[in-house]
Amino acid sequence: MIKISGLTKRFGPITAVAGLDLTVERGEVLGFLGPNGAGKSTTMRMVTGFVVPTAGTVTVAGHDVGEDPIAAQRVIGYMPEGAPLYEDITPVAFLDFIAAVRGYDGAERKERVARAIRLLDLADVAHRPIGTLSKGYKRRTGLAQAVLHDPDVLILDEPTDGLDPNQKHHVRSLIRAMGRDKAIIISTHILEEVEAVCTRAVIIAQGRLVFDGTPVALKGRSLSHNAVTIRVKRDAAAQARTNLATVAGVARVVEKPATNGIATLVAFPVDGKSIIQDVSDRLRRDGCPIEGLTVDSGELDEVFRRLTTTV
Amino acid sequence: MRNLLIVFRREFAAYFSTPLAYIFIVIFLALSGAMTFYFGNFFERGQADLAPFFAYHPWLYLILIPAVAMRLWADERKTGTIELLMTLPLSTVEVVIGKFFAAWAFIGVALALTFPIWWTVNYLGSPDNGVIVSSYIGSYLMAGAYLAIGACVSALTRNQVIAFILAAAVCFLMLASGLEIVTSFFIGWAPAFVVDTVTAVSFLTHFQAILRGVIDGRDAVFFTSLIAIALFINVAIVDLKKAQ
């Protein structure tokens, strides 16, 4: 549905996006990650035809955005960064304008507006000026505008920014549900969001692609992926630590400060391989007084930091 | 055409969704009335015509029309809604023209509400209504030219105050280019054709010709082509600068 090739944007001496290649298919929810200024918004603006690329092409549903932006814009639903809206008018009037631009008339237009209001739960504020609404309602009005015409391609720049946890949950399940038959790109810097809604994670740093894979694979890159956390009585901690260090596959063991007489040990594996079996066998053999044993799936924050600062 | 109408409707309604429209109309009516009666000596002249009413329009528009035009693009850029608008399936031409006509129609409403003065002059005497009609048309065309220049300037900045001041300054130059204040700057060193050209683009020269009741196609063509050129430049500016 979305095909980006060799996409480059330079602003004077600054290169915001440097030769990006990316393809997004129907049924994918792509989480677009990167530090601030990495080129996420610029990329989205080029896909939606707002910014003209310095080089490279974008094709959306077969339409070249550079050659026929309007045909591409018809199949795209887009919420720009910060969800800009006409603050003087009400959500109903605003969505009615969007529905008119999207080509709906008469009863169908009313139905479309009503559906968008229902979908984003805006009924309570539908007739109040947008400028007077809370940040959460504004963001949802911006989302309602993007999904009103049930587009094949959805591009959402930080869709859950400013929402409370309940609203976040609501919007995420909405995106997940829509992701089944659309191609969706969402940008975010909330890493847990990628795990919660995305089928694919892409990280860019300084305008270049540094990771492209599933959220699970992203976690697998973590140093603490498959690490084992062991909680033991403080007296037994030192012995356990020495013993664990000798287990094959364990790279190193770290001890964290004890609380309430319980110490926490973390055994990191070599190359992210599973070590839980060997570790637990060894502990049992030593008769170590274990209070708790957990396997880490990995820390997204840590992977993100490593991937985006080494470029 | 359909899209143009949709943009037109939204923009036109936008004027009335804030107090701006009402304030503008009241001030426009109050000022045009005050100027007609105090400075124009409407009664004392003892003539049944609207010359003193129309004579002040170029100066009134100088302040009021940049105030209508300043929000057209500067506001969209400041609030970021330009990104929303320009990524909808609308062409830049449709948006530029739709916005312009909405603002022009709004000014038309304000101008139309001056009808009591026309009624008054017909009640008091028997004016040449042909001249009055052509003066209204001329005034409206001139307002369109001011507005198109103001819209163009508004697209250059995200600051409405800058848009207002720049538009007023450019409009003043266009207005006064037939007056000594501007021509004296050129006379003496510039060749005669330059002085003539500068004088020829003066709003005042063209508007006064219309006020005399001489329906000369050239004056109407002057204002309409100025509107067309300004809108053309407006489209180019929006396309170039929308994302900055």
Side-chain angles (χ1 to χ4, degrees), chain B residues 21-73:
Chain B
Y22 306 100
I23 291 172
F24 178 87
I25 288 173
V26 167
I27 289 182
F28 177 76
L29 295 178
L31 284 181
S32 66
M35 285 180 167
T36 309
F37 291 104
Y38 288 100
F39 302 123
N41 299 321
F42 181 66
F43 290 125
E44 291 84 343
R45 291 171 79 239
Q47 288 180 32
D49 66 17
L50 285 181
F53 168 68
F54 287 112
Y56 291 99
H57 279 194
W59 304 98
L60 202 55
Y61 288 159
L62 188 59
I63 300 301
L64 291 179
I65 293 196
V68 174
M70 67 182 187
R71 59 166 283 283
L72 279 177
W73 292 100

Coordinates of all heavy atoms in Angstrom, one line a residue, chain B residues 21-73:
Chain B
A21 N -16.5 39.2 12.6 CA -17.4 39.6 11.5 C -18.3 40.8 12.0 O -18.4 41.8 11.3 CB -18.3 38.5 11.1
Y22 N -18.8 40.7 13.2 CA -19.8 41.7 13.6 C -19.0 43.0 13.9 O -19.5 44.1 13.6 CB -20.5 41.1 14.8 CG -21.2 39.8 14.5 CD1 -20.6 38.6 14.9 CD2 -22.3 39.8 13.7 CE1 -21.2 37.4 14.5 CE2 -22.9 38.6 13.3 CZ -22.3 37.4 13.7 OH -22.9 36.2 13.4
I23 N -17.9 42.9 14.6 CA -17.1 44.1 14.9 C -16.7 44.8 13.6 O -16.8 46.0 13.4 CB -15.8 43.7 15.7 CG1 -16.2 43.2 17.1 CG2 -14.8 44.8 15.7 CD1 -15.1 42.6 17.9
F24 N -16.3 44.0 12.6 CA -15.8 44.5 11.3 C -17.0 45.3 10.7 O -16.8 46.4 10.2 CB -15.3 43.5 10.4 CG -14.9 44.0 9.0 CD1 -13.7 44.5 8.8 CD2 -15.9 44.0 8.0 CE1 -13.3 45.0 7.6 CE2 -15.5 44.5 6.8 CZ -14.2 45.0 6.6
I25 N -18.1 44.7 10.6 CA -19.3 45.3 9.9 C -19.7 46.6 10.7 O -19.9 47.6 10.0 CB -20.5 44.3 9.8 CG1 -20.1 43.2 8.8 CG2 -21.7 45.0 9.5 CD1 -21.1 42.0 8.7
V26 N -19.8 46.5 12.0 CA -20.2 47.7 12.7 C -19.2 48.8 12.5 O -19.6 50.0 12.2 CB -20.3 47.4 14.2 CG1 -20.5 48.7 15.0 CG2 -21.5 46.5 14.4
I27 N -17.9 48.5 12.6 CA -16.9 49.6 12.4 C -16.9 50.1 11.0 O -16.8 51.3 10.8 CB -15.5 49.1 12.9 CG1 -15.5 48.9 14.4 CG2 -14.4 50.0 12.4 CD1 -14.2 48.5 15.0
F28 N -17.1 49.2 10.1 CA -17.1 49.6 8.7 C -18.3 50.6 8.4 O -18.1 51.7 7.8 CB -17.2 48.4 7.7 CG -17.4 48.8 6.3 CD1 -16.2 49.2 5.5 CD2 -18.6 48.7 5.6 CE1 -16.4 49.6 4.2 CE2 -18.7 49.1 4.3 CZ -17.6 49.5 3.6
L29 N -19.4 50.3 8.9 CA -20.6 51.1 8.7 C -20.5 52.4 9.5 O -20.8 53.5 8.9 CB -21.9 50.4 9.2 CG -22.3 49.1 8.4 CD1 -23.5 48.5 9.0 CD2 -22.5 49.5 6.9
A30 N -19.9 52.4 10.7 CA -19.8 53.6 11.5 C -18.8 54.5 10.8 O -19.1 55.7 10.7 CB -19.3 53.2 12.9
L31 N -17.6 54.0 10.4 CA -16.6 54.8 9.8 C -17.1 55.4 8.5 O -16.9 56.6 8.2 CB -15.3 54.1 9.6 CG -14.5 53.8 10.9 CD1 -13.2 53.1 10.6 CD2 -14.1 55.2 11.6
S32 N -17.7 54.6 7.7 CA -18.1 55.1 6.3 C -19.2 56.1 6.5 O -19.2 57.1 5.8 CB -18.6 53.9 5.4 OG -19.7 53.3 5.9
G33 N -20.0 56.0 7.5 CA -21.1 57.0 7.8 C -20.4 58.3 8.3 O -20.7 59.4 7.8
A34 N -19.5 58.1 9.3 CA -18.9 59.3 9.8 C -18.1 60.1 8.8 O -18.2 61.3 8.7 CB -17.9 58.9 10.9
M35 N -17.4 59.4 7.9 CA -16.6 60.1 6.9 C -17.5 60.8 5.9 O -17.2 61.9 5.5 CB -15.7 59.1 6.2 CG -14.5 58.7 7.0 SD -13.5 57.5 6.2 CE -12.0 57.6 7.3
T36 N -18.6 60.1 5.6 CA -19.5 60.7 4.6 C -20.1 62.0 5.2 O -20.2 63.1 4.5 CB -20.7 59.8 4.3 OG1 -20.1 58.5 4.0 CG2 -21.6 60.3 3.2
F37 N -20.5 62.0 6.4 CA -21.3 63.2 7.0 C -20.3 64.2 7.5 O -20.6 65.4 7.3 CB -22.2 62.7 8.1 CG -23.4 61.9 7.5 CD1 -23.4 60.5 7.6 CD2 -24.4 62.5 6.8 CE1 -24.4 59.8 7.1 CE2 -25.4 61.8 6.3 CZ -25.5 60.4 6.4
Y38 N -19.2 63.9 8.1 CA -18.4 64.9 8.7 C -17.4 65.4 7.7 O -17.3 66.6 7.4 CB -17.7 64.4 9.9 CG -18.6 64.2 11.1 CD1 -19.1 62.9 11.4 CD2 -19.0 65.3 11.8 CE1 -20.0 62.8 12.4 CE2 -19.9 65.2 12.9 CZ -20.4 63.9 13.2 OH -21.3 63.8 14.2
F39 N -16.6 64.5 7.1 CA -15.5 65.0 6.2 C -16.1 65.3 4.8 O -15.7 66.1 4.1 CB -14.4 64.0 6.1 CG -13.8 63.6 7.4 CD1 -13.8 62.3 7.9 CD2 -13.2 64.7 8.2 CE1 -13.2 62.1 9.1 CE2 -12.7 64.4 9.4 CZ -12.6 63.1 9.8
G40 N -17.1 64.5 4.4 CA -17.7 64.6 3.1 C -18.8 65.7 3.0 O -19.2 66.0 1.9
N41 N -19.2 66.3 4.1 CA -20.3 67.3 4.1 C -21.5 66.8 3.2 O -21.9 67.6 2.3 CB -19.7 68.6 3.6 CG -18.6 69.1 4.5 OD1 -18.7 69.0 5.7 ND2 -17.6 69.7 3.9
F42 N -21.9 65.7 3.5 CA -23.0 65.1 2.7 C -24.2 66.0 2.5 O -24.7 66.2 1.4 CB -23.4 63.7 3.4 CG -24.5 63.0 2.7 CD1 -24.2 62.4 1.4 CD2 -25.7 62.8 3.3 CE1 -25.2 61.7 0.8 CE2 -26.7 62.1 2.6 CZ -26.5 61.5 1.4
F43 N -24.7 66.6 3.7 CA -25.9 67.5 3.6 C -25.5 68.9 3.0 O -26.2 69.4 2.2 CB -26.5 67.6 5.0 CG -27.1 66.4 5.5 CD1 -26.8 65.8 6.7 CD2 -28.1 65.7 4.7 CE1 -27.4 64.6 7.1 CE2 -28.7 64.6 5.1 CZ -28.3 64.0 6.4
E44 N -24.4 69.4 3.5 CA -24.1 70.8 3.2 C -23.8 71.0 1.7 O -24.1 72.0 1.1 CB -22.8 71.2 4.0 CG -23.0 71.4 5.5 CD -22.9 70.1 6.2 OE1 -23.0 69.0 5.6 OE2 -22.8 70.2 7.5
R45 N -23.4 69.9 1.0 CA -23.1 70.0 -0.4 C -24.4 70.3 -1.2 O -24.3 70.9 -2.2 CB -22.5 68.7 -0.9 CG -21.1 68.5 -0.4 CD -20.7 67.1 -0.8 NE -20.3 67.0 -2.2 CZ -20.8 66.2 -3.2 NH1 -21.8 65.5 -2.9 NH2 -20.3 66.2 -4.4
G46 N -25.5 69.8 -0.6 CA -26.8 70.1 -1.3 C -26.9 69.4 -2.6 O -27.6 69.8 -3.5
Q47 N -26.1 68.3 -2.8 CA -26.3 67.5 -4.0 C -26.7 66.1 -3.8 O -26.3 65.5 -2.8 CB -24.9 67.4 -4.7 CG -24.4 68.7 -5.3 CD -23.1 68.6 -6.0 OE1 -22.8 67.5 -6.5 NE2 -22.3 69.7 -6.0
A48 N -27.6 65.6 -4.6 CA -28.1 64.3 -4.4 C -27.2 63.3 -5.1 O -27.5 62.8 -6.2 CB -29.6 64.2 -4.9
D49 N -26.1 63.0 -4.5 CA -25.2 61.9 -5.0 C -24.5 61.3 -3.9 O -24.5 61.8 -2.7 CB -24.3 62.4 -6.1 CG -23.3 63.4 -5.6 OD1 -23.1 63.5 -4.4 OD2 -22.7 64.2 -6.4
L50 N -23.7 60.2 -4.2 CA -23.0 59.5 -3.1 C -21.5 59.8 -3.2 O -20.7 59.0 -2.6 CB -23.3 58.1 -3.1 CG -24.7 57.7 -2.5 CD1 -24.9 56.2 -2.6 CD2 -24.9 58.2 -1.1
A51 N -21.1 60.8 -3.9 CA -19.6 61.1 -4.1 C -18.9 61.1 -2.8 O -17.9 60.5 -2.6 CB -19.4 62.3 -4.9
P52 N -19.4 61.9 -1.8 CA -18.7 61.9 -0.5 C -18.6 60.6 0.2 O -17.7 60.3 1.0 CB -19.5 62.9 0.3 CG -20.8 63.1 -0.3 CD -20.6 62.7 -1.8
F53 N -19.6 59.7 -0.1 CA -19.6 58.4 0.5 C -18.5 57.5 -0.1 O -17.6 57.0 0.7 CB -21.0 57.7 0.3 CG -21.0 56.3 0.7 CD1 -20.9 55.8 2.0 CD2 -21.3 55.3 -0.3 CE1 -21.0 54.5 2.3 CE2 -21.4 54.0 -0.1 CZ -21.2 53.6 1.2
F54 N -18.4 57.5 -1.4 CA -17.4 56.6 -2.0 C -16.0 57.2 -2.0 O -15.1 56.4 -1.9 CB -17.8 56.4 -3.5 CG -19.0 55.5 -3.6 CD1 -20.2 55.9 -4.1 CD2 -18.9 54.1 -3.3 CE1 -21.3 55.1 -4.2 CE2 -20.0 53.3 -3.4 CZ -21.2 53.7 -3.9
A55 N -15.9 58.5 -1.9 CA -14.6 59.1 -1.9 C -13.6 58.6 -0.8 O -12.4 58.6 -1.0 CB -14.7 60.6 -1.8
Y56 N -14.2 58.2 0.3 CA -13.3 57.8 1.4 C -13.1 56.3 1.4 O -12.3 55.8 2.2 CB -13.9 58.3 2.7 CG -13.8 59.8 2.9 CD1 -14.9 60.6 2.6 CD2 -12.6 60.3 3.2 CE1 -14.8 62.0 2.6 CE2 -12.5 61.7 3.2 CZ -13.5 62.5 3.0 OH -13.4 63.9 3.0
H57 N -13.7 55.6 0.5 CA -13.6 54.1 0.5 C -12.1 53.7 0.4 O -11.7 52.8 1.1 CB -14.5 53.5 -0.5 CG -15.9 53.3 -0.1 ND1 -16.8 52.5 -0.7 CD2 -16.5 53.8 1.0 CE1 -17.9 52.6 -0.1 NE2 -17.8 53.4 1.0
P58 N -11.3 54.3 -0.5 CA -10.0 53.8 -0.7 C -9.2 53.9 0.7 O -8.4 53.0 0.9 CB -9.3 54.8 -1.7 CG -10.5 55.3 -2.5 CD -11.7 55.3 -1.5
W59 N -9.5 54.9 1.5 CA -8.8 55.1 2.7 C -9.3 54.2 3.8 O -8.5 53.7 4.7 CB -8.8 56.5 3.1 CG -8.3 57.4 2.1 CD1 -9.0 58.1 1.1 CD2 -6.9 57.6 1.7 NE1 -8.2 58.7 0.2 CE2 -6.9 58.4 0.6 CE3 -5.7 57.2 2.3 CZ2 -5.7 58.8 0.0 CZ3 -4.5 57.6 1.7 CH2 -4.5 58.4 0.6
L60 N -10.6 54.0 3.8 CA -11.2 53.1 4.7 C -10.7 51.6 4.5 O -10.4 50.9 5.5 CB -12.7 53.1 4.5 CG -13.7 52.7 5.6 CD1 -13.4 53.5 6.9 CD2 -15.1 53.0 5.2
Y61 N -10.7 51.2 3.3 CA -10.2 49.9 2.9 C -8.8 49.7 3.3 O -8.4 48.5 3.6 CB -10.4 49.6 1.4 CG -11.8 49.5 0.9 CD1 -12.1 49.7 -0.4 CD2 -12.8 49.1 1.8 CE1 -13.4 49.6 -0.8 CE2 -14.1 49.0 1.4 CZ -14.4 49.2 0.0 OH -15.7 49.1 -0.4
L62 N -8.0 50.7 3.3 CA -6.6 50.6 3.6 C -6.4 50.0 5.0 O -5.4 49.3 5.2 CB -6.0 52.0 3.5 CG -4.5 52.1 3.6 CD1 -3.8 51.4 2.5 CD2 -4.1 53.6 3.5
I63 N -7.2 50.4 5.9 CA -7.1 49.8 7.3 C -7.9 48.5 7.4 O -7.4 47.6 8.0 CB -7.6 50.9 8.3 CG1 -6.8 52.2 8.2 CG2 -7.5 50.3 9.7 CD1 -5.3 52.0 8.4
L64 N -9.1 48.5 6.9 CA -10.0 47.4 7.3 C -9.8 46.2 6.5 O -9.9 45.1 7.0 CB -11.5 47.9 7.1 CG -11.9 49.0 8.1 CD1 -13.4 49.4 7.9 CD2 -11.8 48.4 9.5
I65 N -9.4 46.3 5.2 CA -9.3 45.1 4.4 C -8.0 44.3 4.8 O -8.1 43.0 5.0 CB -9.4 45.4 2.9 CG1 -10.8 45.8 2.7 CG2 -9.0 44.1 2.1 CD1 -11.3 45.8 1.4
P66 N -6.9 44.9 5.1 CA -5.8 44.1 5.6 C -6.2 43.3 6.9 O -5.7 42.2 7.2 CB -4.7 45.1 5.9 CG -4.9 46.2 4.9 CD -6.4 46.3 4.8
A67 N -7.1 43.9 7.7 CA -7.6 43.3 8.9 C -8.4 42.0 8.6 O -8.3 41.0 9.3 CB -8.4 44.2 9.7
V68 N -9.1 42.0 7.5 CA -9.8 40.8 7.1 C -8.9 39.8 6.5 O -9.0 38.6 6.7 CB -10.9 41.2 6.0 CG1 -11.6 39.9 5.5 CG2 -11.9 42.1 6.7
A69 N -7.9 40.3 5.7 CA -7.0 39.4 5.0 C -6.0 38.7 5.8 O -5.5 37.6 5.5 CB -6.3 40.2 3.8
M70 N -5.6 39.4 6.9 CA -4.4 38.9 7.7 C -4.5 37.5 8.2 O -3.6 36.8 8.3 CB -4.1 39.9 8.8 CG -5.1 39.9 9.9 SD -4.6 41.1 11.2 CE -5.8 40.8 12.4
R71 N -5.7 37.1 8.6 CA -5.9 35.8 9.1 C -5.9 34.7 8.1 O -5.6 33.5 8.4 CB -7.2 35.7 10.0 CG -8.4 36.0 9.2 CD -9.7 35.6 10.0 NE -9.9 34.1 10.0 CZ -10.4 33.5 8.9 NH1 -10.7 34.1 7.8 NH2 -10.5 32.2 8.9
L72 N -6.2 35.0 6.8 CA -6.4 34.0 5.8 C -5.4 32.9 5.8 O -5.8 31.7 5.8 CB -6.5 34.7 4.4 CG -7.8 35.3 4.1 CD1 -7.7 36.0 2.7 CD2 -9.0 34.3 4.1
W73 N -4.1 33.2 5.8 CA -3.1 32.2 5.7 C -2.2 32.2 6.9 O -1.8 31.2 7.4 CB -2.2 32.4 4.5 CG -3.0 32.1 3.2 CD1 -3.6 33.0 2.4 CD2 -3.3 30.8 2.7 NE1 -4.2 32.3 1.4 CE2 -4.1 31.0 1.5 CE3 -3.0 29.5 3.1 CZ2 -4.6 29.9 0.8 CZ3 -3.5 28.4 2.4 CH2 -4.3 28.7 1.2

